[in-house]
Amino acid sequence: MYLAPPNPEIRLRKLVDERENLIGQVKKLKAQVEQKKPRNGTEGPSPEGELLENGTDPHIQDLQRDASRQLSDLKYKLVKSEQEVTALEQNVTRLGVQVTRYKSVSENAEKVEDELKAEKRKLQRELRSALDKIDELESNNSHLSKRLDKMKANRTTARLPNDDLPA
């Protein structure tokens, strides 16, 4: 079963929202990392009471690794989102060109349709005129045929009495 792709504008909005969300997360994580950095340089027990090893708290190292991993994931998602936004923008541009082309074709088709309608009306008028002329000529022909028949009949009746006379 084929599902139509969602509206490009909706996808674009979602990607922009996701991008902004990811940028916000990146900033938040950077701020957290910056807050943790001053604590890493201090000696003494960490907030949890663990001892520092080589000047760093293991818990902070884990947090830094997690933050770094999240940061790289978010950067990857950001790049991917930007690529998708670019692709969608190109798609919107392409579809805009298609709309313009289809609109032009539609306008031309409507123009041709109007011309064909006008020509059809003209031909129908000519047809009605020709049919009226045919009816008139048939009526005239019928009238002339009747006159010819009458003339033949009159001629025949005019000859009969002459033929009856002895010669």
Side-chain angles (χ1 to χ4, degrees):
M1 175 171 80
Y2 175 75
L3 294 176
N7 187 347
E9 292 177 9
I10 294 172
R11 289 186 64 203
L12 185 61
R13 263 189 244 121
K14 285 182 181 179
L15 288 172
V16 168
D17 291 344
E18 183 180 340
R19 178 180 175 217
E20 290 174 0
N21 185 19
L22 293 175
I23 290 172
Q25 288 180 7
V26 167
K27 288 179 182 177
K28 181 177 160 186
L29 289 172
K30 281 183 179 180
Q32 288 177 357
V33 167
E34 291 299 321
Q35 287 176 358
K36 302 277 180 175
K37 280 185 181 179
R39 281 195 234 157
N40 286 345
T42 62
E43 301 221 0
S46 67
E48 289 82 21
E50 295 177 5
L51 294 176
L52 293 176
E53 297 176 11
N54 295 333
T56 58
D57 188 345
H59 180 68
I60 292 176
Q61 287 178 338
D62 289 341
L63 288 175
Q64 285 178 335
R65 270 188 248 119
D66 288 343
S68 176
R69 191 176 319 114
Q70 287 179 351
L71 185 63
S72 64
D73 287 346
L74 292 174
K75 284 181 181 178
Y76 173 76
K77 286 181 181 180
L78 178 64
V79 168
K80 192 171 183 172
S81 296
E82 288 173 345
Q83 289 173 346
E84 206 167 321
V85 165
T86 303
L88 288 173
E89 287 172 347
Q90 290 172 348
N91 196 19
V92 165
T93 303
R94 182 181 55 82
L95 291 173
V97 169
Q98 279 184 345
V99 165
T100 303
R101 187 178 72 223
Y102 289 146
K103 189 174 183 181
S104 171
V105 168
S106 173
E107 288 171 356
N108 288 340
E110 288 174 359
K111 188 177 179 183
V112 168
E113 181 185 17
D114 291 342
E115 290 171 0
L116 289 173
K117 284 180 181 179
E119 188 175 343
K120 180 183 175 185
R121 286 191 296 270
K122 177 184 168 192
L123 290 172
Q124 285 176 334
R125 281 193 303 272
E126 289 177 4
L127 176 63
R128 279 193 302 273
S129 174
L131 289 174
D132 290 345
K133 186 79 170 176
I134 288 172
D135 285 344
E136 182 183 325
L137 290 173
E138 284 177 348
S139 173
N140 197 10
N141 188 22
S142 173
H143 175 70
L144 291 174
S145 291
K146 288 178 185 177
R147 278 187 67 190
L148 182 62
D149 288 343
K150 278 185 182 180
M151 290 174 83
K152 283 182 183 178
N154 285 341
R155 189 172 159 201
T156 309
T157 53
R159 277 191 182 176
L160 285 179
N162 292 340
D163 290 338
D164 291 340
L165 296 174

